[in-house]
Amino acid sequence: MKILVCISKAPDTTSRIAFTDNNTAFDQNGVQFIVNPYDEWYALVRALELKEAQGGSVTTITVGGADNDPIIRKALAIGADDAVRVDAEALDSLAVAKYIANYASANGYDLVMCGKETIDYNGAVVGGMVAELMDVPYVSLAIKLDVNGSVATLEREAQGGTEIVEASLPLVISASKGMAEQRIPNMRGIMAARTKPLQVVASEGINASTKVVRYELPPAKAAVKLVSADNVAELVDLLHNEAKVI
Amino acid sequence: MAILVFADNHGGKITKSSLEAVGYAAAMGGDVTAVTFGSIEGDGGMGNYGASKVIVAGNATSDPQQLTRLVVDVANAIGASDIVFSHDTTGKSVAPRVAARMDAGLVAGATAIPSGKEIKKNVFSGKAFAYVEACTDKRVISVLPNSFGLKASGGSATVEQYSGDCGSAGVIVKDFKPTSTDGSVPLPEAEMVVSAGRGMKGPENWGIIEDLAGVLGATTACSRPVADIGWRPHHEHVGQTGIAIRPNLYIAVGISGAIQHLAGVNGSKVIVVINTDPEAPFFKAADYGIVGDAFEVVPKLTEALKAFKSAH
Ligand SMILES: Cc1cc2nc3c(=O)[nH]c(=O)nc-3n(C[C@H](O)[C@H](O)[C@H](O)COP(=O)(O)OP(=O)(O)OC[C@H]3O[C@@H](n4cnc5c(N)ncnc54)[C@H](O)[C@@H]3O)c2cc1C
């Protein structure tokens, strides 16, 4: 089975969020970038498990500049066979999806896997767009994935419960918590990653369909109102009369 | 201006987040058509939230490819400028497909109606907001559940059957396992949430959390380590790498308030924290707090709420 895993970089979860250029750009000063957790912990690891059980290959794909190479090497250290970086600016989700779909369609994958969303833009949209552009089925928010021949069986998060679904390959999925357990790369993996192939594909100049006009930080929160543990009735009163939520 | 809303339904009942999406579209100030699949009763309540027309495709299932064909066909037929979804589990499967098929800009997870061309949404897991513009003529918007609220207008809609072809389904639903059998509201839609963390010491102690949730009609949630060690199911895990929620009331018991936890709950309107440690970071993000032992405070709070409920 040929598997393509979409990997993107995201600021570390403890990053201080700030903006520059008149609030039009994310301030990367001092920010540590990681592999987007959903891509790494769930999509990539499940792809590796499927390969280990059934044979095949796991390739990662990333759209963006050379500043992505450290996180791509991390994915290779965890176990991907090789990596592709489409050397274009990741202008917006649809542009990224077009680059990925072009590459995936041209190179024939059985399975394209994404994380359920990135933790910076929180779009949850690239996988679905890739699927539409490739004209194949898409299962979002998958928490379980098994492949038997040309048919995949999945569990996915749905409103109020879990859906058990079936779809035939080729297929695009987005992975959510529960699909696999995080793997920490070992020394051998890290050494091997240095020499694994990272193919850089030239950009194709796709336009953006959306743009961020500006960013804003939430207003500072007022100080907490403390209520004595011996007087919980006061809390009930505040929730009713002041906060008006009960 | 014609606006199309895709409305999801479960067993014929239009979901709350879809009604919210209908209300959002109506507030944008256009003529709102809603489209759904399977069969619903009457207008599914959507007229009451501002739809003037409801189109039902009896020949479609919840399959994203069928729904994409349906939505794009109806959008073209009515000349929709905007196509609105809920940013829920179905919207996340269909909205991106529709945007790709129409080559339209998608603003995913909108938290307010457009102001001029700008649409506000959460970014960095709720740690900041972005104002996003579509660069295309047509626009797809998915609305973050619980961000706009349900605003009934008292109207009703005409109902029409869809006569086009939705094609075959790529994803076949074999089974559905509900997360709760007690009928509590799913977390993303819940207006009240009672959440607990490692401070509860063990899964056997969750009774007092469930009692508190019970008296409020709240849904239960938990911190990540609690789900990871199996004290609670994964679907209860809220935070940056779990479910992001925006209830009216979030009560956090025995949760320290790590940045990754806050990222998923900071959209809550009111936050109450109960923690033994006055230095717990969660107090900085809270509206109300009690410094105290959950095992004493929570049962007392449940009793006080019972007394309040019987008096109101
Ligand atoms: C990449 C990454 C992603 C993450 N994503 C998430 C996420 O999505 N969601 C999430 O929750 N976490 C996430 N985490 C973990 C997060 O950093 C914290 O470790 C976690 O939230 C702590 O859980 P907790 O508050 O239940 O436990 P603890 O931090 O152990 O806190 C327990 C709290 O209970 C209090 N307590 C103890 N006894 C009592 C008592 N009797 N009564 C009242 N209070 C008591 C303590 O004072 C303490 O504040 C993530 C971490 C990383 C690195």
Side-chain angles (χ1 to χ4, degrees), chain B residues 236-253:
Chain B
E236 282 200 0
H237 160 192
V238 293
Q240 186 155 16
T241 52
I243 294 176
I245 54 170
R246 325 172 41 86
N248 286 333
L249 176 61
Y250 183 72
I251 302 183
V253 183

Side-chain angles (χ1 to χ4, degrees), chain B residues 198 201 223-224 237-241 254 256 260-261 275 293-294:
Chain B
R198 217 147 49 176
K201 314 271 194 291
S223 68
R224 177 176 162 213
H237 160 192
V238 293
Q240 186 155 16
T241 52
S256 56
Q260 298 93 352
H261 184 85
N275 198 305
D293 186 340

Side-chain angles (χ1 to χ4, degrees), chain B residues 5 7-9 12-24 26 32-36 39-56 149-159:
Chain B
V5 180
D8 190 14
N9 73 77
K13 190 172 181 292
I14 301 295
T15 61
K16 180 184 155 201
S17 51
S18 295
L19 295 176
E20 190 179 16
V22 172
Y24 178 101
V32 178
T33 300
V35 61
T36 191
S39 75
I40 58 168
E41 204 172 299
D43 69 0
M46 292 186 278
N48 191 26
Y49 292 92
S52 65
K53 189 201 259 183
V54 169
I55 298 176
V56 184
L150 280 180
K151 289 167 194 158
S153 64
S156 69
T158 59
V159 182

Side-chain angles (χ1 to χ4, degrees), chain A residues 25-26 29 44 66 74 85 137 143 153 159 187 189 221 233 239:
Chain A
F26 175 54
N29 216 335
L44 176 60
K74 167 97 188 271
R85 177 164 62 77
I143 51 178
T153 307
Q159 198 129 2
M187 209 50 205
K221 191 113 188 166
L239 292 177

